[in-house]
């Protein structure tokens, strides 16, 4: 990823301190940004109204590849909570980006 001048980030509705604890506990090699107000999740159209276990609004799991100018050039939006794109598909999409 760094060879292509990119960075991996996660966005969560959790509070910053909760996200930081997850990064530390799991020794993740990337940062988790907090979107507790859900502004980014709304902007990307990834809201699941009343989708949480208690009926709360949650984010739909998704993987986005965003170009330098902020354009989404690839996306995988989950159909269910455990749905993720295969890493090979993500790497293929990354390879298509201009250096």
């Amino acid at each position: 990823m760094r060879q292509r001048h990119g960075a991996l980030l996660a966005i969560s509705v959790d509070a910053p301190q909760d996200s930081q604890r997850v990064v530390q506990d799991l020794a993740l090699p990337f940062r988790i940004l907090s979107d507790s107000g859900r502004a980014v999740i709304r902007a990307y159209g990834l809201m699941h109204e009343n989708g949480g276990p208690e009926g709360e609004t949650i984010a739909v799991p998704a993987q986005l590849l965003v170009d330098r100018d902020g354009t989404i050039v690839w996306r995988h939006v989950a159909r269910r909570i455990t749905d993720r794109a295969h890493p090979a598909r993500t790497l293929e999409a990354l390879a298509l980006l201009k250096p």
Side-chain angles (χ1 to χ4, degrees):
M1 189 70 131
R2 287 189 184 125
Q3 292 172 340
R4 299 197 56 85
H5 305 286
L8 174 65
L9 299 170
I11 300 174
S12 172
V13 298
D14 296 331
Q17 62 270 22
D18 295 335
S19 294
Q20 183 60 30
R21 189 170 34 256
V22 169
V23 169
Q24 290 174 345
D25 290 350
L26 299 176
L28 298 176
F30 55 87
R31 294 176 29 211
I32 300 177
L33 307 178
S34 178
D35 185 25
S36 56
R38 294 165 174 79
V40 174
I41 293 163
R42 276 191 189 89
Y44 285 125
L46 298 172
M47 295 293 291
H48 185 182
E49 300 290 337
N50 308 314
E54 305 294 323
E56 68 275 21
T57 298
I58 61 171
V60 174
Q63 294 156 268
L64 307 174
L65 186 54
V66 182
D67 205 344
R68 292 174 192 240
D69 65 2
T71 302
I72 297 173
V73 295
W74 178 83
R75 67 189 288 148
H76 174 83
V77 178
R79 294 183 185 168
R80 57 186 190 286
I81 195 76
T82 58
D83 182 23
R84 300 292 186 276
H86 190 279
R89 286 196 59 221
T90 307
L91 291 173
E92 287 169 5
L94 185 61
L96 296 174
L97 285 178
K98 298 174 201 164

